[in-house]
Amino acid sequence: MPAPAHGPLDRERAHLAASRAALRAMRAEVAALDLTDVAANWVNAAVLQAEVDARIAALADLADTPLFFGRLDYREDTGGHTGQTADHAGQRYYIGRRHVHDAAGEPMVIDWRAPVSQPFYRASRRDPQGVDLRRRFGYTGGELTAYEDERLSGAAPDTTEGAAGSALLQREIERPRVGPMRDIVATIQPEQDAIVRTGVEGTVCVQGAPGTGKTAVGLHRVAYLLYAHRQRLARTGTLVLGPNASFLRYIEQVLPALGELRVRQSTVDALTAHVPVRGGDDARAATVKGDARMAEVLRRALRSHVRPPAEPCVVVRGSRRWRVPAYELAEIVEELLGRDIRYGAAREALPQRIAHAVLVRMEQSGEAPDDRVQDTVARSTAVKATVKACWPPVDPARLVLRLLSDADFLATHAEGLLSAEEQKAVLWAKPARGVRTAPWTVADTVLVDEAMDLVARTPSLGHVVLDEAQDLSPMQYRAVGRRCTTGSATVLGDLAQGTTPWATASWSEALRHLGKPDAAVEELTRGFRVPREVIAYASRLLPAIAPTLAPATSVRTSPGDFAVLRVPELAAGVLDACRAALGREGSVGLIAADARLPELTAALARAGLPYLAPGDETTAEARLTLVPASLAKGLEYDSVVLDEPAAIVDGEPDERTGLRRLYVCLTRAVSALTIVHTAPLPGELSA
């Protein structure tokens, strides 16, 4: 018999142990299901087994992940409230990552996404929402070690609520980051929760300064939507888009920790990879190819394949010949063009329209044809020949290939849209022989994706999360928008961190290209990750890179370890800083200009310091990650050593882009930042 639990902490530990046992029982119950002879056929059986396997995986108990992190005690006296608040009067709920119930079906842990859990994030002393006491739990290595109470009723309002007033929240926020990104479900703040719980019909754009948790908010929103609208999104699907593979590896554990295992994750480049990328564009070419005007160029080029019929269509049925004159065929073609439907859909409709014209003639002659006759006529050799002549099939990749390799063809369809200089910029240096051997670039693949959608509609998903959106071109926004035309989106980014030549100038423009012009734009400026001194130092760059944005503030009570070191020998200074950082807890990121990586790689090897690539999981043996400045966006490390800021700025095509890249690199630290340099710092930082 276990010893009785006497103190509050003992009782909470007992509830945790009982909840874990209940979760194991729930999992065992699913695993014990006998599916023999349940399904009608092997296909249904396989689908059902996959569902059961997914449910078993979702019920896994993660040893190092707290099963619950908070508790709500509702008041006995509802204070005149009705509805939900009155329904919960006197109740106690434990709030966690997933629902857990006992053998009788009584809840032991409530999913954080359930309506009853919302006051855990939103209630305050000004607005208790029926809650008497909110309790937060502290964990060490999966073991419950502390709790902290906040009395919400019967107390005078003060200004210490939220992260700034909770020691456990502060400790959780500042807990060392070892391995991939963690969920923030235990530390979500009211302004973040409001975004997370936005309805599935609404698209929301989050402008978030570094450390405000915008990526985590986006991931938690898709988890919330899957909870609240599971059947709908199970049919239509969900997608998370990140800037690169390293970023996706970094965030890949967040949704599984929340019990969501079926959310697809990808990059925009992978989403549009319809042709093999063999080349690269300079900034000028990529900017023009990414311009929204290219959509109209492609539309014109595609529609140019439609030709007016030169001859009538004569259909032979038995001893009769039915003739549709060329002028009537031309009217049908013009009517389809005027409807501006997709090229492929119009091409599929054309034979039926011609067949209908034939049936009209049959009826006028006294015959009574039915739909089967119309289908037969539509499939006849004569009609097929007419359709092929008037509305030939078009391969999207070959269409783009011709535009980029045939100057005359491009000039014809870009007239009035692209200048002669812009046309010259996008043309390939040498004519391409075929789709597989063409010097395709990443920007070209987006053009192919656009052309494919002009031919046949791109399937729409229920919800898309787009992170680091500020770096997308208008054509890339269009590509993402096609994936959620009938669904919604969560757009995440920071205008100050735009580092591409075509970086987003305003969210209203970006949302228009995405096809969501009415989306709400929310701004997060309260930082929870970046230490106070670090964000203040990085914000010196804002007047030069994003003068319209307000500097972020930090709720962190500790300023963090911050140092700017000018050293006589750069490599030696960087190695010393890395050794000092490795003396602290958590992950260490050495961020440097891409051109500096070979020298630093050699220096680390000589010093015997093992290091990882971005996105790799840190271990006890290797906590240092060597991060190219071009891949630092979206990542975070407990300690950051920043190598030669001037080299990061000089590595970009212009100073503003370079300063934005530096801003990104400066704001990757959670606890400590050491800047090591020999060259003078940019003027904005040396003041």
Side-chain angles (χ1 to χ4, degrees), residues 233-321:
L233 293 180
R235 293 193 309 269
T236 55
T238 52
L239 173 66
V240 173
L241 293 171
N244 52 59
S246 296
F247 178 84
L248 294 180
R249 288 197 299 272
Y250 178 63
I251 68 169
E252 65 183 356
Q253 295 304 317
V254 174
L255 289 169
L258 298 173
E260 301 300 341
L261 306 174
R262 296 186 176 183
V263 179
R264 180 187 168 200
Q265 298 184 9
S266 180
T267 64
V268 176
D269 292 350
L271 198 67
T272 61
H274 308 297
V275 290
V277 175
R278 299 178 182 275
D281 286 312
D282 59 30
R284 176 62 170 164
T287 301
V288 177
K289 289 178 180 179
D291 194 288
R293 292 172 295 167
M294 289 299 299
E296 178 60 23
V297 174
L298 287 165
R299 178 179 172 276
R300 291 180 182 179
L302 179 61
R303 289 166 68 93
S304 72
H305 290 76
V306 180
R307 309 180 188 94
E311 299 177 352
C313 178
V314 180
V315 177
V316 179
R317 283 187 59 80
S319 61
R320 302 292 299 271
R321 292 164 58 88

Side-chain angles (χ1 to χ4, degrees), residues 136-329:
R136 303 182 192 275
F137 297 107
Y139 288 81
T140 302
E143 295 295 323
L144 200 164
T145 55
Y147 69 90
E148 180 182 75
D149 287 345
E150 185 180 5
R151 187 73 61 178
L152 299 182
S153 62
D158 62 23
T159 58
T160 62
E161 297 168 328
S166 168
L168 285 182
L169 251 64
Q170 282 283 333
R171 193 173 79 179
E172 174 64 19
I173 290 169
E174 297 175 6
R175 183 158 57 95
R177 268 106 173 123
V178 178
M181 180 181 180
R182 301 193 305 264
D183 64 73
I184 63 164
V185 65
T187 62
I188 292 174
Q189 297 299 294
E191 65 270 24
Q192 296 173 324
D193 188 66
I195 296 171
V196 166
R197 295 178 193 266
T198 303
V200 69
E201 294 82 9
T203 289
V204 61
C205 174
V206 182
Q207 159 61 43
T212 54
K214 56 184 177 295
T215 295
V217 165
L219 295 174
H220 285 67
R221 186 184 179 208
V222 75
Y224 169 77
L225 293 177
L226 284 166
Y227 174 87
H229 308 278
R230 189 167 300 279
Q231 288 189 342
R232 173 175 174 176
L233 293 180
R235 293 193 309 269
T236 55
T238 52
L239 173 66
V240 173
L241 293 171
N244 52 59
S246 296
F247 178 84
L248 294 180
R249 288 197 299 272
Y250 178 63
I251 68 169
E252 65 183 356
Q253 295 304 317
V254 174
L255 289 169
L258 298 173
E260 301 300 341
L261 306 174
R262 296 186 176 183
V263 179
R264 180 187 168 200
Q265 298 184 9
S266 180
T267 64
V268 176
D269 292 350
L271 198 67
T272 61
H274 308 297
V275 290
V277 175
R278 299 178 182 275
D281 286 312
D282 59 30
R284 176 62 170 164
T287 301
V288 177
K289 289 178 180 179
D291 194 288
R293 292 172 295 167
M294 289 299 299
E296 178 60 23
V297 174
L298 287 165
R299 178 179 172 276
R300 291 180 182 179
L302 179 61
R303 289 166 68 93
S304 72
H305 290 76
V306 180
R307 309 180 188 94
E311 299 177 352
C313 178
V314 180
V315 177
V316 179
R317 283 187 59 80
S319 61
R320 302 292 299 271
R321 292 164 58 88
W322 306 99
R323 181 176 181 272
V324 182
Y327 77 86
E328 187 172 345
L329 293 173

Side-chain angles (χ1 to χ4, degrees), residues 276-472:
V277 175
R278 299 178 182 275
D281 286 312
D282 59 30
R284 176 62 170 164
T287 301
V288 177
K289 289 178 180 179
D291 194 288
R293 292 172 295 167
M294 289 299 299
E296 178 60 23
V297 174
L298 287 165
R299 178 179 172 276
R300 291 180 182 179
L302 179 61
R303 289 166 68 93
S304 72
H305 290 76
V306 180
R307 309 180 188 94
E311 299 177 352
C313 178
V314 180
V315 177
V316 179
R317 283 187 59 80
S319 61
R320 302 292 299 271
R321 292 164 58 88
W322 306 99
R323 181 176 181 272
V324 182
Y327 77 86
E328 187 172 345
L329 293 173
E331 290 175 355
I332 294 173
V333 169
E334 285 301 318
E335 191 270 335
L336 287 173
L337 281 173
R339 290 173 60 190
D340 202 25
I341 60 178
R342 281 174 170 77
Y343 188 94
R347 189 174 188 276
E348 291 176 359
L350 182 56
Q352 290 292 333
R353 298 297 295 275
I354 297 173
H356 177 73
V358 172
L359 260 67
V360 169
R361 285 161 171 76
M362 290 181 177
E363 291 170 349
Q364 290 173 345
S365 69
E367 295 189 18
D370 57 19
D371 290 344
R372 290 175 296 178
V373 174
Q374 180 168 329
D375 289 339
T376 301
V377 172
R379 294 194 300 268
S380 68
T381 302
V383 172
K384 287 182 178 179
T386 299
V387 171
K388 184 175 181 180
C390 295
W391 212 294
V394 176
D395 179 80
R398 291 190 179 279
L399 175 69
V400 177
L401 183 147
R402 186 179 177 191
L403 269 177
L404 299 179
S405 58
D406 185 334
D408 293 336
F409 188 66
L410 176 63
T412 298
H413 303 297
E415 184 178 0
L417 292 172
L418 303 181
S419 67
E421 292 76 16
E422 289 174 323
Q423 293 176 37
K424 184 178 179 181
V426 302
L427 280 169
W428 289 332
K430 296 180 181 179
R433 294 183 178 180
V435 170
R436 304 303 300 177
T437 58
W440 298 107
T441 67
V442 170
D444 298 336
T445 67
V446 184
L447 298 180
V448 175
D449 191 75
E450 179 83 25
M452 291 175 67
D453 186 70
L454 289 170
V455 173
R457 182 184 299 275
T458 303
S460 177
L461 299 168
H463 193 77
V464 173
V465 177
L466 175 61
D467 205 355
E468 301 297 348
Q470 72 280 344
D471 282 330
L472 267 61

Side-chain angles (χ1 to χ4, degrees), residues 490-510:
T490 304
V491 181
L492 312 165
D494 180 9
L495 297 180
Q497 297 185 56
T499 52
T500 54
W502 50 86
T504 302
S506 70
W507 289 121
S508 59
E509 177 187 344

Side-chain angles (χ1 to χ4, degrees), residues 503-536:
T504 302
S506 70
W507 289 121
S508 59
E509 177 187 344
L511 292 168
R512 179 170 55 83
H513 293 309
L514 190 71
K516 308 290 184 182
D518 298 326
V521 179
E522 305 287 347
E523 186 170 4
L524 296 177
T525 58
R526 284 213 307 160
F528 303 94
R529 174 176 58 78
V530 184
R532 185 178 303 165
E533 286 192 7
V534 172
I535 195 63

